[in-house]
Structures are given as structure tokens and as C-alpha cells.
Amino acid sequence: MASLPTSSTEDVPPSSSLLQASLSKQTLCMLLGLATYLALISSLRFQRRQTLHSKYSCYGTRQSMRSMSDQDAWVIQKTIMQTEFPFIVLKSLQFALFRTYGIPTISTLLLKTSQLSDSTISFKRYADTGTLIGEFMTFDPRSERARTAIARTKFLHKGYRASGKIMEADMLYTLSLFALEPIQFVKQFEWREMTEMERCAVGTFWKSLGDALEINYDALPSGKTGFQDGIHWLGEIGAWSQQYEIQHMKPHPRNKELAEKTIDVLVYNLPNFLKPLARYFVSYLMGDRLRTAMMMEEPPAFFSGILALIFKLRQLYLRYLSLPRPDFLRLNAFTDKPNKHGRNWVLIYDGAPFYVQPTIWNRWGPMAWFKWALGHPLPGDDGDKYYPQGYRTDDLGPKYFEGKGYRELEGFKETLRRQRMGQCPFP
């Protein structure tokens, strides 16, 4: 009687066994690779923070932070801005400027001077302001480029301050935002908060800059007696800034008009069908007080929830799945050395291509094709309209100030050479 056939491992074709073994090895290799990658992230994610604190271990306590120099504060802040939190810090600085437009005295003056009421020059005003701020943040406080940017900023504001068109309280408020907004934005949107030493560096740098711009601190409790350190200065100017907003950030048609012009700049590079969503995004970042002052529509609750989720996922991704940004990919916004015209070029731009070099990449690269498809001008278009030869820092500002103020600038710079030498700004 014949026996029935039975199945056994011997009946499995050799090729099938080899395939299963190969798949098992691939799965194991993938898991080992993933584990190695996660371990690498875990070991490197905080390395830059640790390196920074090791390099500046002399500022390990609040007592020692009292002696933090402007030079050291600049290096620490530059690291934060260019490699640790480049995207969020850049957006926070843009919104710091934007937030000032919620104060009617500021928005009214800007509209009267026609620097943002006319869309044909609003993009240049945006580029000039960003370039001046970027110059004195990016370059050594003792360098001629930083001094020239500070001197030019003083010159552009001098007449308005002397006539009372710009109130000293508005100058102090504007300064406070450039110091406070990056810290707040990083806390809210980034994968970690700034450490106490990093916050002290931000406060030290901007306090020193306020000194260079001759901004009066008498409105602060310790303005006349002196501040202990950058943290102390941040605390007092932060409390004052909040109270100032409560008193002065009120709804006004000029705020709304200025907000509309500025949002046009912020959403410039987007297709028309995405611009309504981008406006909701801007409104979401404003917060209730600024949104009310600018008479802007609140984004739908669903949209706000989606944005909150996106930011949270970004935090988790950066913290656990992303390697730190390498130094060679640091955010550089300007060329380091003057070109053959004795000018510098902007390397990053959001709006119209002011001061951007018309290279083959900038005119024919992927981003250039995208901008061309939107109907936007490219670097080098329209002759000299967008200054393709670059910018001179001592000419930045409204068109009618070009070529003016050179003698006063030299006087301002000479004072800075004597007074701002990278030293500690606290007594």
C-alpha cells in the first residue's frame, strides 16, 4: 500500500530558503542601521550646545555672567543664529520688525514717509532694513562693517528722533523686540530652549547695541543705576515691553494698512492659490494682541490646530531624527568681502532680488525657474533697478538718503571705535 506524501522542510525549494534568509539579513541590517543612526543623533544633537558651554565655561554662573563681553556674546548669538536655530531665529527677527507696526505712532510715521505705503519701494525698504540689522548681527562688533551698519542706522533715525517724530520709547520698544522675540520663538517652536548662558549672550549683545545707538534706558527700573548682566537687562526690558504693548498696541487703520503691505512682502514668493493660507499662517504667529491691533482676521481653529501639529512634529523630528546642521551649511546671508565694485551681495532674499548677484545659478537655477513661473523679476532684471552690483552699507536706506551723511557716519564710527571695542557693557 503506497504511503501518502508528507510535507517537510526538505521539500522547500533551496531558492526560497535563500530568499527568506536574505530578507531576514536585510531586515536586521536595516534595524541595526536605524539604531546606529538614532544613537548617532543622540550623541551629536546636543554637541554644539556642550561645545559652546565648554568654550565659554567662564560664564557658568550668574555671578560670572556679569563680566560677559560684547565680543563673546556676539559669537554665542551668531552660533545660535547661523547653525543651531537658523530658520526660527530668522523668522523671529522678521516678526520682531513686523510687531513694531502694531504701534500706531510707528505705523503712522512709516506711512507718512511713504516707505511702505508705496508697494514699488516697500520691497527695497524691507531689504535695506534686513541688511542693516543683518550686518551688525553677522559681523564682529569691532569690525568696520558692523560699525558702518550701526552708524548708518543712527544717521537714518537721527533727524526723526531730534524732531520728536520717533519717540524714544518707540526706539526702546523696537530694541526690546529684537532681543526678546528670538528667545520666545525658540522656546515655542524649536527642539530645545536657549540656555541661561545663551539668553545672557542675547541680552548682552542687544544691550550693547542699544548703547551704541544711544537708546535711553531710564524707563527701566535699573536704567539709571545699571544692570547686573544680560539676563537682568532682558527681564526688565521684557516686563517694560509687555506693559508698553498693553498701553500702546491698539487697533488702528494705519496698522492694518501697513500690515497688508508687509504681508505682501512675506508671501511674495508663493503662488496666488497659497497666499490665503500663508496669510492665516502669519496671523497665527501674530498672537491675539498683535492680531487685534492690526485688525487681522483670526485663522480658523482647524487651521491653527494643523499648524500647531506641524510645529510639534518638526520639534520631534529635529530632536530625535535629524542630525545637527554642519558648520559648512551655516546660514550666511551676505558675502564676506567686497566685490570689484566695492560692494557686497545678499545671499538670501525673500522678496524682490535687491542686492543679489545675477549669477548663472541665480538666473537659471531651480529657484529662478520657480520665480520666473510666478512672473517675478530675477537678479539682474530691469537694469540697475535691483542693484545687481550689490550694496554699500553707508548708502542703505530710503532713496533720498543715498550719497548723504558720509561725514556724519565717519563721526559716528569714530565714536564707536573708541567706545565699542567688544568689552562688557555692564559696569
Side-chain angles (χ1 to χ4, degrees):
M1 180 177 176
S3 60
L4 295 173
T6 58
S7 62
S8 70
T9 56
E10 295 178 356
D11 295 324
V12 179
S15 59
S16 178
S17 298
L18 290 174
L19 180 60
Q20 291 177 3
S22 176
L23 289 174
S24 298
K25 288 181 180 179
Q26 289 179 9
T27 302
L28 180 61
C29 288
M30 290 176 61
L31 291 175
L32 287 174
L34 178 60
T36 302
Y37 179 72
L38 293 177
L40 184 63
I41 293 173
S42 179
S43 64
L44 296 179
R45 184 73 267 186
F46 290 90
Q47 187 179 64
R48 183 172 285 114
R49 187 188 74 174
Q50 294 165 355
T51 300
L52 203 59
H53 281 70
S54 176
K55 180 179 179 181
Y56 295 102
S57 58
C58 54
Y59 304 129
T61 65
R62 276 297 298 272
Q63 182 67 28
S64 61
M65 288 179 192
R66 295 184 177 191
S67 62
M68 182 178 286
S69 68
D70 185 30
Q71 179 69 20
D72 289 345
W74 168 74
V75 174
I76 294 169
Q77 179 178 250
K78 187 178 180 181
T79 300
I80 295 169
M81 179 176 67
Q82 290 191 330
T83 56
E84 195 74 337
F85 314 118
F87 174 77
I88 290 298
V89 168
L90 178 61
K91 293 305 171 188
S92 72
L93 293 171
Q94 292 173 340
F95 266 82
L97 183 64
F98 187 58
R99 195 171 187 85
T100 63
Y101 303 158
I103 306 295
T105 52
I106 296 176
S107 61
T108 298
L109 176 63
L110 287 172
L111 288 170
K112 281 183 177 179
T113 57
S114 297
Q115 287 308 297
L116 284 175
S117 60
D118 185 348
S119 60
T120 61
I121 58 177
S122 61
F123 285 99
K124 183 179 184 299
R125 198 267 178 184
Y126 182 82
D128 288 346
T129 303
T131 301
L132 279 173
I133 295 170
E135 284 272 317
F136 57 63
M137 290 186 69
T138 302
F139 296 99
D140 191 313
R142 302 164 299 183
S143 68
E144 281 301 296
R145 287 186 71 167
R147 288 169 180 155
T148 303
I150 294 171
R152 185 63 175 176
T153 302
K154 287 185 66 173
F155 169 75
L156 293 175
H157 289 85
K158 180 183 176 182
Y160 297 114
R161 293 172 72 178
S163 66
K165 293 179 179 178
I166 294 181
M167 299 188 300
E168 288 304 306
D170 287 342
M171 291 291 294
L172 182 61
Y173 174 67
T174 302
L175 179 72
S176 75
L177 293 180
F178 284 111
L180 296 167
E181 290 293 277
I183 296 173
Q184 180 57 38
F185 266 59
V186 167
K187 181 179 180 180
Q188 185 175 357
F189 299 119
E190 273 293 354
W191 60 275
R192 72 168 177 89
E193 297 183 30
M194 291 189 196
T195 65
E196 187 175 53
M197 186 191 78
E198 290 168 336
R199 295 196 305 274
C200 185
V202 172
T204 300
F205 174 84
W206 287 100
K207 195 278 181 181
S208 173
L209 186 72
D211 291 340
L213 293 172
E214 298 182 334
I215 294 177
N216 192 308
Y217 294 130
D218 286 352
L220 306 184
S222 302
K224 295 181 179 179
T225 58
F227 306 92
Q228 296 178 7
D229 54 30
I231 298 291
H232 182 204
W233 182 84
L234 280 174
E236 289 200 3
I237 201 170
W240 176 88
S241 181
Q242 284 290 316
Q243 189 60 36
Y244 191 75
E245 284 191 357
I246 292 172
Q247 294 177 356
H248 298 279
M249 187 174 279
K250 305 294 184 181
H252 197 287
R254 292 189 180 91
N255 296 353
K256 180 175 177 59
E257 183 179 353
L258 197 55
E260 295 290 347
K261 296 293 183 184
T262 306
I263 291 174
D264 287 342
V265 176
L266 296 176
V267 304
Y268 179 72
N269 286 322
L270 295 176
N272 288 334
F273 74 92
L274 286 179
K275 287 183 178 180
L277 294 179
R279 292 176 65 86
Y280 282 145
F281 176 73
V282 174
S283 179
Y284 171 81
L285 293 179
M286 284 183 186
D288 293 337
R289 183 182 297 154
L290 180 60
R291 188 186 304 115
T292 300
M294 290 187 166
M295 306 169 68
M296 297 291 295
E297 181 183 356
E298 184 176 0
F302 175 76
F303 187 82
S304 297
I306 292 294
L307 284 179
L309 177 61
I310 290 173
F311 278 117
K312 187 61 180 179
L313 291 175
R314 178 182 181 273
Q315 287 178 331
L316 294 173
Y317 168 75
L318 291 175
R319 171 63 181 86
Y320 297 105
L321 297 176
S322 174
L323 290 169
R325 179 184 290 257
D327 285 339
F328 71 87
L329 289 179
R330 71 173 61 89
L331 180 68
N332 285 320
F334 313 104
T335 50
D336 289 328
K337 296 180 180 179
N339 56 33
K340 64 181 181 180
H341 306 288
R343 298 167 177 266
N344 297 292
W345 278 303
V346 169
L347 302 177
I348 300 172
Y349 68 104
D350 290 328
F354 281 99
Y355 314 124
V356 180
Q357 184 182 11
T359 61
I360 293 176
W361 177 260
N362 287 338
R363 288 189 58 82
W364 295 98
M367 184 55 68
W369 281 99
F370 176 74
K371 289 179 178 293
W372 175 81
L374 294 176
H376 294 170
L378 300 176
D381 284 355
D382 300 322
D384 292 334
K385 180 178 180 179
Y386 299 108
Y387 298 77
Q389 71 275 22
Y391 65 89
R392 282 177 48 128
T393 307
D394 52 10
D395 268 338
L396 290 172
K399 186 77 173 179
Y400 50 80
F401 280 127
E402 284 186 20
K404 299 178 182 178
Y406 294 161
R407 181 175 298 178
E408 285 186 84
L409 253 64
E410 286 305 314
F412 291 149
K413 287 197 287 185
E414 183 57 37
T415 300
L416 291 171
R417 291 186 190 104
R418 295 194 309 268
Q419 297 180 356
R420 195 170 190 247
M421 300 177 291
Q423 75 275 19
C424 176
F426 303 103

